[in-house]
Protein backbone atom coordinates (compact mmCIF):
# COMPACT_ATOMS: atom_id res chain seq x y z
CA UNK A 1 0.00 0.00 0.00
CA UNK A 2 1.27 3.35 -0.98
CA UNK A 3 2.16 5.61 1.94
CA UNK A 4 0.32 8.57 0.51
CA UNK A 5 -2.86 6.57 0.09
CA UNK A 6 -2.68 5.36 3.73
CA UNK A 7 -2.45 8.92 5.04
CA UNK A 8 -5.40 9.91 2.87
CA UNK A 9 -7.43 7.09 4.34
CA UNK A 10 -6.72 8.35 7.89
CA UNK A 11 -8.26 11.74 7.15
CA UNK A 12 -11.75 10.26 7.36
CA UNK A 13 -13.06 7.51 9.64
CA UNK A 14 -16.65 6.39 8.93
CA UNK A 15 -17.47 5.27 12.47
CA UNK A 16 -16.51 8.63 14.08
CA UNK A 17 -19.18 11.30 14.88
CA UNK A 18 -17.59 14.39 13.46
CA UNK A 19 -20.60 16.71 14.09
CA UNK A 20 -20.54 15.96 17.81
CA UNK A 21 -16.80 16.60 17.98
CA UNK A 22 -17.22 20.04 16.36
CA UNK A 23 -19.89 21.01 18.87
CA UNK A 24 -17.65 19.97 21.76
CA UNK A 25 -14.73 21.91 20.36
CA UNK A 26 -16.87 25.05 20.00
CA UNK A 27 -18.18 24.63 23.52
CA UNK A 28 -14.70 24.25 24.91
CA UNK A 29 -13.29 27.35 23.11
CA UNK A 30 -15.99 29.78 24.32
CA UNK A 31 -14.94 31.31 27.63
CA UNK A 32 -17.44 33.49 29.45
CA UNK A 33 -15.52 36.30 31.20
CA UNK A 34 -17.30 38.35 33.88
CA UNK A 35 -18.33 41.77 32.57
CA UNK A 36 -16.62 44.66 34.43
CA UNK A 37 -19.34 47.06 35.62
CA UNK A 38 -18.11 50.51 36.59
CA UNK A 39 -19.81 52.14 39.53
CA UNK A 40 -22.27 54.79 38.43
CA UNK A 41 -20.97 58.31 38.94
CA UNK A 42 -23.46 60.32 40.94
CA UNK A 43 -24.11 63.89 39.71
CA UNK A 44 -22.67 66.61 41.88
CA UNK A 45 -25.45 68.63 43.48
CA UNK A 46 -25.75 72.21 42.17
CA UNK A 47 -25.36 74.88 44.82
CA UNK A 48 -27.13 78.19 44.25
CA UNK A 49 -25.84 80.94 46.47
CA UNK A 50 -28.09 83.69 47.71
CA UNK A 51 -28.30 86.52 45.22
CA UNK A 52 -28.80 90.23 45.66
CA UNK A 53 -32.30 91.36 46.54
CA UNK A 54 -32.81 95.11 46.60
CA UNK A 55 -35.89 94.93 48.82
CA UNK A 56 -33.85 93.42 51.67
CA UNK A 57 -31.47 96.44 51.88
CA UNK A 58 -31.86 99.72 53.69
CA UNK A 59 -31.87 102.99 51.77
CA UNK A 60 -28.55 104.03 53.31
CA UNK A 61 -26.83 100.79 52.31
CA UNK A 62 -28.15 101.06 48.76
CA UNK A 63 -26.65 104.53 48.34
CA UNK A 64 -23.36 103.44 49.93
CA UNK A 65 -23.00 100.33 47.78
CA UNK A 66 -24.45 101.49 44.46
CA UNK A 67 -24.26 105.33 44.59
CA UNK A 68 -27.89 105.59 43.48
CA UNK A 69 -31.21 105.62 45.31
CA UNK A 70 -33.66 102.76 45.21
CA UNK A 71 -35.92 104.74 42.87
CA UNK A 72 -33.07 105.63 40.52
CA UNK A 73 -31.96 102.01 40.28
CA UNK A 74 -35.46 100.81 39.42
CA UNK A 75 -35.87 103.52 36.79
CA UNK A 76 -32.51 102.65 35.26
CA UNK A 77 -33.39 98.96 35.27
CA UNK A 78 -36.63 99.58 33.39
CA UNK A 79 -34.69 101.48 30.73
CA UNK A 80 -32.37 98.56 29.98
CA UNK A 81 -34.33 95.51 31.11
CA UNK A 82 -34.96 94.32 27.55
CA UNK A 83 -31.19 93.99 27.04
CA UNK A 84 -30.20 92.35 30.33
CA UNK A 85 -33.14 90.19 31.43
CA UNK A 86 -32.59 86.43 30.89
CA UNK A 87 -34.38 84.85 27.96
CA UNK A 88 -35.52 81.93 30.10
CA UNK A 89 -36.58 81.35 33.69
CA UNK A 90 -35.11 77.85 33.77
CA UNK A 91 -31.86 76.77 35.43
CA UNK A 92 -31.96 79.57 38.00
CA UNK A 93 -31.00 82.25 35.46
CA UNK A 94 -29.56 85.42 37.01
CA UNK A 95 -32.22 88.17 37.06
CA UNK A 96 -31.51 91.36 35.15
CA UNK A 97 -31.72 93.51 38.28
CA UNK A 98 -29.06 91.38 39.98
CA UNK A 99 -26.78 91.92 36.97
CA UNK A 100 -27.28 95.68 37.17
CA UNK A 101 -26.56 95.74 40.91
CA UNK A 102 -23.33 93.81 40.41
CA UNK A 103 -22.09 96.26 37.78
CA UNK A 104 -23.13 99.29 39.85
CA UNK A 105 -21.17 97.93 42.80
CA UNK A 106 -18.12 97.47 40.61
CA UNK A 107 -18.34 101.06 39.35
CA UNK A 108 -18.84 102.38 42.87
CA UNK A 109 -15.99 100.43 44.49
CA UNK A 110 -13.64 99.34 41.69
CA UNK A 111 -13.04 96.05 43.50
CA UNK A 112 -12.02 92.74 41.93
CA UNK A 113 -14.54 90.58 40.13
CA UNK A 114 -14.20 87.56 42.40
CA UNK A 115 -15.07 89.78 45.39
CA UNK A 116 -18.12 91.09 43.57
CA UNK A 117 -19.10 87.53 42.71
CA UNK A 118 -18.98 86.55 46.36
CA UNK A 119 -21.23 89.47 47.26
CA UNK A 120 -23.63 88.84 44.39
CA UNK A 121 -23.90 85.06 44.62
CA UNK A 122 -22.18 84.29 41.28
CA UNK A 123 -18.66 83.34 40.23
CA UNK A 124 -15.99 85.55 38.66
CA UNK A 125 -16.62 84.44 35.07
CA UNK A 126 -20.31 85.33 35.42
CA UNK A 127 -19.42 88.78 36.74
CA UNK A 128 -17.20 89.35 33.69
CA UNK A 129 -20.01 88.43 31.29
CA UNK A 130 -22.52 90.59 33.16
CA UNK A 131 -20.16 93.58 33.08
CA UNK A 132 -19.93 93.51 29.29
CA UNK A 133 -23.65 92.95 28.87
CA UNK A 134 -24.76 95.72 31.22
CA UNK A 135 -22.21 98.24 29.91
CA UNK A 136 -23.44 97.62 26.38
CA UNK A 137 -27.04 98.18 27.50
CA UNK A 138 -26.24 101.34 29.48
CA UNK A 139 -24.35 102.89 26.55
CA UNK A 140 -27.61 102.98 24.60
CA UNK A 141 -29.07 105.38 27.19
CA UNK A 142 -26.20 107.88 27.25
CA UNK A 143 -27.78 110.39 24.85
CA UNK A 144 -30.86 110.56 27.07
CA UNK A 145 -28.80 111.75 30.05
CA UNK A 146 -25.80 113.61 28.53
CA UNK A 147 -26.56 116.41 26.06
CA UNK A 148 -25.11 119.83 25.35
CA UNK A 149 -27.66 122.66 25.69
CA UNK A 150 -28.95 123.61 22.26
CA UNK A 151 -32.34 125.27 22.72
CA UNK A 152 -32.51 128.98 23.45
CA UNK A 153 -34.41 128.48 26.70
CA UNK A 154 -32.00 125.84 27.97
CA UNK A 155 -28.94 127.89 27.01
CA UNK A 156 -30.34 130.93 28.80
CA UNK A 157 -30.81 128.92 31.97
CA UNK A 158 -27.24 127.55 31.78
CA UNK A 159 -25.82 131.06 31.29
CA UNK A 160 -27.78 132.40 34.24
CA UNK A 161 -26.48 129.64 36.50
CA UNK A 162 -22.87 130.42 35.52
CA UNK A 163 -23.44 134.15 35.87
CA UNK A 164 -24.56 133.70 39.48
CA UNK A 165 -21.15 132.28 40.43
CA UNK A 166 -18.93 135.27 39.59
CA UNK A 167 -20.92 137.36 37.09
CA UNK A 168 -19.10 136.03 34.03
CA UNK A 169 -21.60 136.31 31.13
CA UNK A 170 -22.57 134.05 28.22
CA UNK A 171 -20.86 130.91 29.56
CA UNK A 172 -22.27 127.65 28.17
CA UNK A 173 -19.85 125.27 29.85
CA UNK A 174 -16.54 124.72 31.61
CA UNK A 175 -14.14 122.35 29.87
CA UNK A 176 -11.13 120.35 30.97
CA UNK A 177 -9.60 116.88 30.72
CA UNK A 178 -8.88 114.25 33.37
CA UNK A 179 -6.86 111.05 33.24
CA UNK A 180 -8.22 107.58 34.06
CA UNK A 181 -5.49 105.03 34.74
CA UNK A 182 -5.44 101.74 32.84
CA UNK A 183 -3.14 98.86 31.93
CA UNK A 184 -2.13 99.52 28.30
CA UNK A 185 -1.93 96.95 25.50
CA UNK A 186 1.63 95.76 24.98
CA UNK A 187 1.70 96.83 21.33
CA UNK A 188 0.36 100.36 22.06
CA UNK A 189 2.05 101.15 25.34
CA UNK A 190 3.55 104.46 24.19
CA UNK A 191 0.20 105.81 23.03
CA UNK A 192 -1.24 105.60 26.52
CA UNK A 193 1.78 106.98 28.40
CA UNK A 194 0.89 110.40 29.78
CA UNK A 195 3.17 113.26 30.81
CA UNK A 196 3.53 111.84 34.31
CA UNK A 197 4.85 108.57 32.82
CA UNK A 198 1.73 106.65 33.79
CA UNK A 199 -0.76 105.01 31.43
CA UNK A 200 -4.24 106.38 31.04
CA UNK A 201 -7.10 107.62 28.92
CA UNK A 202 -7.39 111.40 28.62
CA UNK A 203 -11.09 112.15 29.04
CA UNK A 204 -12.56 115.49 27.98
CA UNK A 205 -15.59 116.73 29.92
CA UNK A 206 -17.80 119.82 29.65
CA UNK A 207 -20.05 120.63 32.60
CA UNK A 208 -22.54 123.31 33.62
CA UNK A 209 -22.72 125.35 36.81
CA UNK A 210 -24.60 122.57 38.62
CA UNK A 211 -21.83 120.01 37.93
CA UNK A 212 -23.99 118.26 35.36
CA UNK A 213 -21.92 116.73 32.56
CA UNK A 214 -22.98 118.13 29.19
CA UNK A 215 -20.43 116.52 26.89
CA UNK A 216 -17.78 113.81 27.26
CA UNK A 217 -15.11 112.35 24.97
CA UNK A 218 -13.47 109.12 26.13
CA UNK A 219 -11.65 107.69 23.11
CA UNK A 220 -8.26 109.46 23.27
CA UNK A 221 -5.14 107.93 24.90
CA UNK A 222 -3.20 109.62 27.68
CA UNK A 223 -0.47 110.92 25.37
CA UNK A 224 -2.89 113.30 23.62
CA UNK A 225 -2.90 116.95 24.68
CA UNK A 226 -6.10 118.60 25.88
CA UNK A 227 -6.18 121.08 22.98
CA UNK A 228 -5.74 118.26 20.45
CA UNK A 229 -8.72 116.40 21.90
CA UNK A 230 -10.88 119.53 21.76
CA UNK A 231 -9.99 120.30 18.14
CA UNK A 232 -10.78 116.71 17.11
CA UNK A 233 -14.01 116.37 19.07
CA UNK A 234 -17.48 116.93 17.65
CA UNK A 235 -18.16 119.76 20.10
CA UNK A 236 -14.92 121.54 19.22
CA UNK A 237 -15.69 121.35 15.50
CA UNK A 238 -19.19 122.75 16.06
CA UNK A 239 -17.80 125.76 17.92
CA UNK A 240 -15.04 126.26 15.34
CA UNK A 241 -17.61 126.20 12.51
CA UNK A 242 -19.76 128.77 14.27
CA UNK A 243 -22.70 126.49 15.10
CA UNK A 244 -22.70 127.67 18.74
CA UNK A 245 -22.35 131.45 18.51
CA UNK A 246 -24.49 132.30 21.52
CA UNK A 247 -21.90 131.69 24.21
CA UNK A 248 -18.40 130.63 25.27
CA UNK A 249 -16.61 127.80 26.92
CA UNK A 250 -14.23 128.34 29.83
CA UNK A 251 -10.91 126.51 29.76
CA UNK A 252 -7.49 126.71 31.35
CA UNK A 253 -4.50 128.27 29.59
CA UNK A 254 -3.49 124.93 28.09
CA UNK A 255 -6.15 125.33 25.41
CA UNK A 256 -5.07 128.71 24.14
CA UNK A 257 -7.50 131.59 23.80
CA UNK A 258 -10.10 131.31 21.03
CA UNK A 259 -13.05 133.39 19.96
CA UNK A 260 -15.37 130.86 21.58
CA UNK A 261 -13.13 129.74 24.48
CA UNK A 262 -12.01 132.08 27.26
CA UNK A 263 -8.80 131.38 29.17
CA UNK A 264 -7.22 133.23 32.13
CA UNK A 265 -4.55 135.88 31.76
CA UNK A 266 -1.03 134.76 32.68
CA UNK A 267 0.05 138.18 33.99
CA UNK A 268 -2.90 140.41 34.85
CA UNK A 269 -1.85 144.06 35.05
CA UNK A 270 -4.92 146.20 35.59
CA UNK A 271 -7.54 145.80 38.25
CA UNK A 272 -10.04 144.83 35.58
CA UNK A 273 -7.79 141.99 34.39
CA UNK A 274 -7.39 140.79 37.97
CA UNK A 275 -11.14 140.79 38.48
CA UNK A 276 -11.54 138.89 35.20
CA UNK A 277 -9.03 136.25 36.33
CA UNK A 278 -10.77 135.87 39.68
CA UNK A 279 -14.16 135.49 38.01
CA UNK A 280 -12.74 133.06 35.45
CA UNK A 281 -11.09 130.86 38.07
CA UNK A 282 -14.17 130.85 40.32
CA UNK A 283 -16.46 129.95 37.41
CA UNK A 284 -14.19 127.38 35.78
CA UNK A 285 -13.69 125.67 39.14
CA UNK A 286 -16.99 123.89 38.49
CA UNK A 287 -15.22 121.44 36.16
CA UNK A 288 -12.64 120.62 38.84
CA UNK A 289 -15.42 120.00 41.33
CA UNK A 290 -17.19 117.83 38.75
CA UNK A 291 -14.10 115.63 38.43
CA UNK A 292 -13.84 115.44 42.20
CA UNK A 293 -17.47 114.36 42.61
CA UNK A 294 -17.30 111.93 39.68
CA UNK A 295 -14.20 110.10 40.94
CA UNK A 296 -15.37 110.16 44.55
CA UNK A 297 -18.71 108.66 43.62
CA UNK A 298 -17.30 106.02 41.25
CA UNK A 299 -14.05 104.84 42.78
CA UNK A 300 -13.17 102.65 39.81
CA UNK A 301 -12.04 105.88 38.09
CA UNK A 302 -9.88 107.13 40.96
CA UNK A 303 -6.15 106.53 40.99
CA UNK A 304 -6.30 105.27 44.59
CA UNK A 305 -7.97 102.10 43.28
CA UNK A 306 -5.12 101.36 40.87
CA UNK A 307 -5.44 101.03 37.11
CA UNK A 308 -8.37 99.38 35.37
CA UNK A 309 -7.40 95.94 34.06
CA UNK A 310 -9.42 96.09 30.87
CA UNK A 311 -8.90 97.00 27.23
CA UNK A 312 -8.88 100.72 26.40
CA UNK A 313 -12.18 100.33 24.56
CA UNK A 314 -13.85 98.83 27.63
CA UNK A 315 -12.32 101.46 29.92
CA UNK A 316 -13.78 104.13 27.63
CA UNK A 317 -17.22 102.51 28.01
CA UNK A 318 -16.80 102.41 31.81
CA UNK A 319 -15.95 106.12 31.93
CA UNK A 320 -18.87 107.01 29.66
CA UNK A 321 -21.34 105.03 31.77
CA UNK A 322 -19.99 106.57 34.99
CA UNK A 323 -20.58 110.05 33.56
CA UNK A 324 -24.15 109.11 32.73
CA UNK A 325 -24.74 107.67 36.21
CA UNK A 326 -23.24 110.84 37.70
CA UNK A 327 -25.97 112.89 36.00
CA UNK A 328 -28.63 110.46 37.20
CA UNK A 329 -27.34 110.82 40.77
CA UNK A 330 -27.51 114.63 40.50
CA UNK A 331 -31.06 114.36 39.20
CA UNK A 332 -32.00 112.50 42.38
CA UNK A 333 -30.13 115.03 44.60
CA UNK A 334 -27.49 112.66 45.94
CA UNK A 335 -24.62 114.30 47.79
CA UNK A 336 -21.13 112.90 48.22
CA UNK A 337 -17.83 113.93 49.77
CA UNK A 338 -15.64 115.64 47.18
CA UNK A 339 -11.99 114.85 46.55
CA UNK A 340 -9.90 118.01 46.85
CA UNK A 341 -9.36 119.30 43.28
CA UNK A 342 -5.87 120.16 42.05
CA UNK A 343 -4.67 123.74 41.94
CA UNK A 344 -5.81 125.74 38.95
CA UNK A 345 -3.10 126.28 36.37
CA UNK A 346 -3.09 129.73 34.79
CA UNK A 347 0.20 129.45 32.95
CA UNK A 348 0.02 131.06 29.54
CA UNK A 349 0.12 129.03 26.35
CA UNK A 350 -1.61 131.42 23.92
CA UNK A 351 -0.31 130.99 20.41
CA UNK A 352 -1.24 131.47 16.75
CA UNK A 353 -3.90 133.45 14.93
CA UNK A 354 -6.73 131.88 16.91
CA UNK A 355 -5.03 133.03 20.10
CA UNK A 356 -4.80 136.65 18.91
CA UNK A 357 -8.50 136.65 17.97
CA UNK A 358 -9.33 134.99 21.27
CA UNK A 359 -7.31 137.64 23.13
CA UNK A 360 -9.34 140.36 21.42
CA UNK A 361 -12.57 138.71 22.59
CA UNK A 362 -11.13 138.32 26.07
CA UNK A 363 -10.10 142.02 26.20
CA UNK A 364 -13.61 143.01 25.15
CA UNK A 365 -15.12 140.90 27.93
CA UNK A 366 -12.75 142.48 30.44
CA UNK A 367 -13.61 145.98 29.22
CA UNK A 368 -17.36 145.46 29.09
CA UNK A 369 -17.87 143.53 32.31
CA UNK A 370 -14.88 144.02 34.61
CA UNK A 371 -13.63 147.57 33.99
CA UNK A 372 -15.46 148.71 37.12
CA UNK A 373 -15.80 146.88 40.45
CA UNK A 374 -19.10 145.07 40.79
CA UNK A 375 -20.92 144.54 44.03
CA UNK A 376 -23.50 141.84 44.64
Amino acid sequence: MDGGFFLAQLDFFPAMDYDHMQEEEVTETIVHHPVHVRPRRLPRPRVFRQRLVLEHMSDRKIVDDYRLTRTAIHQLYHEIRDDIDPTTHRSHAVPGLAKLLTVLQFLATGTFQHVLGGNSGVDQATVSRHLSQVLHALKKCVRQHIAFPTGEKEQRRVKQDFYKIARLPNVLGAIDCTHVALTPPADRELQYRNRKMGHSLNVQVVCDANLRIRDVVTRFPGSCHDSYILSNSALGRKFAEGQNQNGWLLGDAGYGSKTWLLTPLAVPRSDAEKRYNEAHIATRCTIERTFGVLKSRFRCLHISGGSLQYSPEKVADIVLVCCMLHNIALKHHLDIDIVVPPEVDIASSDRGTDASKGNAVRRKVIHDFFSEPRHP
Side-chain angles (χ1 to χ4, degrees):
M1 181 180 297
D2 187 273
F5 177 79
F6 178 75
L7 292 175
Q9 294 295 325
L10 292 179
D11 289 342
F12 177 78
F13 189 72
M16 186 174 291
D17 189 358
Y18 286 95
D19 295 336
H20 179 69
M21 289 179 61
Q22 292 178 359
E23 292 179 0
E24 289 181 354
E25 291 177 359
V26 173
T27 304
E28 291 177 359
T29 56
I30 296 177
V31 179
H32 299 279
H33 297 283
V35 179
H36 178 68
V37 179
R38 294 183 180 180
R40 184 178 181 182
R41 180 177 297 177
L42 298 178
R44 185 173 61 180
R46 299 181 67 184
V47 178
F48 298 97
R49 290 176 286 180
Q50 185 176 2
R51 289 169 180 162
L52 294 172
V53 180
L54 200 62
E55 287 71 18
H56 297 169
M57 304 179 189
S58 64
D59 293 340
R60 182 70 261 174
K61 181 172 176 56
I62 291 175
V63 175
D64 290 342
D65 290 351
Y66 309 114
R67 302 298 193 263
L68 295 176
T69 63
R70 190 189 307 271
T71 303
I73 292 176
H74 280 295
Q75 291 178 357
L76 185 62
Y77 167 65
H78 284 292
E79 289 185 32
I80 64 173
R81 62 181 305 173
D82 293 338
D83 295 320
I84 65 174
D85 275 346
T87 57
T88 179
H89 295 286
R90 301 173 58 188
S91 303
H92 293 266
V94 181
L97 183 58
K99 299 177 184 178
L100 177 61
L101 292 177
T102 301
V103 174
L104 289 178
Q105 191 172 27
F106 163 73
L107 299 177
T109 61
T111 189
F112 292 103
Q113 291 183 357
H114 70 275
V115 179
L116 295 172
N119 297 336
S120 306
V122 296
D123 58 11
Q124 180 272 328
T126 304
V127 174
S128 180
R129 292 193 299 270
H130 291 173
L131 179 61
S132 300
Q133 182 182 11
V134 175
L135 287 177
H136 181 73
L138 290 174
K139 280 179 58 181
K140 298 180 180 180
C141 307
V142 168
R143 293 186 180 274
Q144 303 175 21
H145 300 280
I146 300 178
F148 195 80
T150 54
E152 182 179 353
K153 182 178 180 180
E154 187 180 9
Q155 287 186 351
R156 186 186 307 113
R157 184 173 64 251
V158 172
K159 293 177 183 179
Q160 291 174 352
D161 292 338
F162 272 116
Y163 185 79
K164 293 176 183 178
I165 298 176
R167 299 196 171 189
L168 194 63
N170 294 331
V171 178
L172 289 175
I175 185 171
D176 202 358
C177 290
T178 185
H179 288 265
V180 177
L182 55 76
T183 300
D187 57 339
R188 292 179 290 166
E189 185 267 340
L190 290 178
Q191 295 181 16
Y192 294 92
R193 184 182 297 177
N194 54 43
R195 58 187 176 86
K196 295 184 178 180
M197 304 308 293
H199 299 94
S200 62
L201 285 181
N202 198 5
V203 180
Q204 175 183 283
V205 176
V206 178
C207 74
D208 61 17
N210 299 313
L211 311 187
R212 181 181 178 87
I213 295 176
R214 292 294 187 166
D215 186 78
V216 59
V217 180
T218 64
R219 67 179 185 273
F220 288 91
S223 61
C224 294
H225 193 269
D226 296 359
S227 59
Y228 174 83
I229 297 175
L230 176 59
S231 61
N232 287 275
S233 65
L235 183 65
R237 287 192 294 268
K238 287 181 180 179
F239 271 98
E241 294 170 359
Q243 298 184 27
N244 291 319
Q245 299 180 353
N246 299 325
W248 305 302
L249 296 177
L250 294 185
D252 59 21
Y255 287 103
S257 185
K258 304 179 185 298
T259 56
W260 45 270
L261 192 148
L262 299 181
T263 59
L265 292 166
V267 184
R269 294 180 175 86
S270 65
D271 292 338
E273 290 178 348
K274 293 178 181 178
R275 286 191 290 270
Y276 165 79
N277 260 16
E278 292 173 358
H280 185 284
I281 293 173
T283 308
R284 200 194 71 85
C285 188
T286 53
I287 188 63
E288 304 292 348
R289 292 172 55 208
T290 299
F291 290 147
V293 172
L294 176 66
K295 293 188 176 183
S296 297
R297 177 172 281 129
F298 301 105
R299 302 298 294 183
C300 67
L301 305 180
H302 199 271
I303 189 61
S304 61
S307 60
L308 290 168
Q309 307 294 314
Y310 301 96
S311 66
E313 293 77 16
K314 197 165 190 175
V315 173
D317 291 344
I318 291 173
V319 176
L320 184 63
V321 168
C322 287
C323 291
M324 182 191 73
L325 296 176
H326 165 82
N327 284 354
I328 294 176
L330 291 180
K331 180 181 177 181
H332 290 82
H333 308 290
L334 286 174
D335 298 326
I336 194 166
D337 295 332
I338 302 176
V339 175
V340 178
E343 295 182 358
V344 179
D345 181 16
I346 59 173
S348 175
S349 64
D350 297 343
R351 54 190 178 273
T353 305
D354 289 341
S356 61
K357 294 180 180 179
N359 290 336
V361 173
R362 184 169 58 187
R363 285 193 297 269
K364 187 177 186 303
V365 172
I366 294 173
H367 179 269
D368 293 345
F369 297 96
F370 297 96
S371 58
E372 296 181 0
R374 296 192 173 194
H375 303 284

